[in-house]
Amino acid sequence: MKKIKFIRWMLVALILTYLSLLVPAQAQVVRPEIMGCEQGCPVVAAGFPMPFLVDGVISPVGSVSINPLVVLFVHLDEFVPSSFAVSYLFWLALTLIAVKLYRIQHP
């Protein structure tokens, strides 16, 4: 029973991580093939607390698509798995803390 509840909270954290794509951000990206970006240049990104979706080379400049089908299958933007893991763990910890505080207040 506890395993099912934990999986439910993991899904809630995954949804919150996806919704964090609505938070605009900037990221430094090194692109040696683009003149002026050999050392890194700021690009549009999305995700909180770590931007995990970065404006790709083939996407329209200055835009990040948060449509899940585009993110998963079309690959217009760059997905950063390590930043996604940090963001997911952040939202999972926040979810579990909120559940724990709720259970303390409402036994």
Side-chain angles (χ1 to χ4, degrees), residues 54-101:
V54 179
D55 186 20
V57 177
I58 60 172
S59 70
V61 176
S63 68
V64 176
S65 176
I66 61 171
N67 181 343
L69 296 176
V70 172
V71 170
L72 294 174
F73 301 114
V74 179
H75 304 292
L76 288 177
D77 299 312
E78 295 177 26
F79 179 75
V80 183
S82 58
S83 295
F84 175 78
V86 170
S87 295
Y88 175 73
L89 291 175
F90 170 80
W91 288 108
L92 181 61
L94 204 62
T95 302
L96 294 176
I97 289 169
V99 168
K100 186 72 169 174
L101 288 174

Side-chain angles (χ1 to χ4, degrees), residues 9-59:
W9 299 127
M10 288 175 59
L11 289 174
V12 168
L14 186 65
I15 291 168
L16 289 173
T17 305
Y18 175 73
L19 289 176
S20 76
L21 286 174
L22 296 172
V23 178
Q26 276 194 340
Q28 285 289 108
V29 176
V30 175
R31 293 192 175 136
E33 68 275 358
I34 298 176
M35 195 165 125
C37 288
E38 297 89 4
Q39 302 299 321
C41 34
V43 294
V44 175
F48 182 83
M50 298 282 294
F52 56 89
L53 195 61
V54 179
D55 186 20
V57 177
I58 60 172
S59 70

